[in-house]
Amino acid sequence: MSKKSPNVIFACKYLLSLNSVDNKFQSLGYKEDRTKDVDEMIDYFSNIKKNVVGMFEYYMGHTRGENVNLVLENGQYANKKDIKKIKEDYKKYIESSNLWKGIISFKSDYLNHNISIKDLEQKMAKEIMPQFLKYCGFKDIKKMSYVFSVHTNKKHPHIHLAFIEKQPNYLYCDKKVN
């Protein structure tokens, strides 16, 4: 196991909920822009050209079949039906919740020497994202939705991720959920 630093870079941004008081000065097309952004985000995350395919799967001719390169909260790959539901759900959630997006980029040899992409996806879905969301101040992980995909089409492998509250779930400093 390599002891070198993973040289992880994390970038994050968010889009305000449509009902945010800070959106009162937004243009009339703001809602359409935000819902279009949800579709484009999910389509980009799950883009087939960025699929991660292991060497064994590639040479054996295995494909994901109906599944796409988008990992769900349970660690499974989404299928086309899941994609449609995620888009519908996120468009509903964004009415009253901020949509957070992030990218985690790794030094490629660190991943190659320390963890398989499949293991990384499982750790990300079942351990890292739930811990991260709790650390950010979200109280009940079951009231959160998150998706991510690993892209290996660039010099550095990277993970695109998004998360949003299904219901008010943020624990403020006064210990109230809002």
Side-chain angles (χ1 to χ4, degrees):
M1 173 108 24
S2 174
K3 299 289 183 194
K4 289 185 176 184
S5 167
N7 290 346
V8 174
I9 297 171
F10 178 67
C12 188
K13 69 177 187 172
Y14 66 93
L15 301 171
L16 291 173
S17 71
L18 297 175
N19 295 332
S20 171
V21 294
D22 294 326
N23 280 337
K24 63 184 173 186
F25 300 110
Q26 298 296 334
S27 66
L28 292 175
Y30 185 74
K31 181 175 182 174
E32 291 76 23
D33 291 345
R34 293 294 60 83
T35 56
K36 183 180 173 189
D37 184 63
V38 167
D39 286 337
E40 290 173 350
M41 175 189 74
I42 297 299
D43 290 342
Y44 182 79
F45 283 16
S46 60
N47 185 327
I48 195 154
K49 293 178 182 173
K50 297 167 182 19
N51 268 358
V52 175
V53 178
M55 190 181 302
F56 175 78
E57 289 87 357
Y58 176 79
Y59 285 111
M60 295 301 292
H62 298 293
T63 64
R64 290 192 177 148
E66 288 295 309
N67 296 333
V68 297
N69 188 34
L70 187 73
V71 183
L72 304 171
E73 297 153 17
N74 63 5
Q76 301 297 314
Y77 291 114
N79 59 37
K80 291 177 183 173
K81 185 178 171 185
D82 295 325
I83 294 290
K84 183 179 178 192
K85 180 162 178 22
I86 290 165
K87 287 179 179 183
E88 290 169 2
D89 288 348
Y90 275 46
K91 288 175 190 174
K92 180 177 65 177
Y93 301 149
I94 202 169
E95 290 286 331
S96 57
S97 298
N98 297 338
L99 173 63
W100 294 84
K101 300 182 200 180
I103 299 173
I104 304 170
S105 181
F106 299 89
K107 191 174 181 180
S108 58
D109 9 336
Y110 182 82
L111 288 183
N112 292 338
H113 292 99
N114 290 285
I115 191 168
S116 72
I117 297 295
K118 188 70 175 162
D119 288 343
L120 176 63
E121 289 172 335
Q122 292 304 301
K123 277 191 167 299
M124 190 75 182
K126 297 175 182 173
E127 297 173 32
I128 297 168
M129 283 303 297
Q131 288 173 8
F132 171 72
L133 294 172
K134 282 207 177 270
Y135 180 78
C136 287
F138 297 102
K139 185 175 180 179
D140 185 355
I141 299 306
K142 292 177 183 153
K143 293 182 180 178
M144 300 297 295
S145 177
Y146 59 88
V147 293
F148 64 90
S149 63
V150 178
H151 289 178
T152 58
N153 63 322
K154 301 285 184 196
K155 182 179 176 183
H156 296 285
H158 55 282
I159 299 172
H160 290 273
L161 61 96
F163 59 92
I164 194 165
E165 293 171 281
K166 297 176 189 177
Q167 301 169 357
N169 187 35
Y170 188 77
L171 191 60
Y172 284 84
C173 56
D174 62 2
K175 304 292 183 205
K176 292 182 182 176
V177 172
N178 205 337

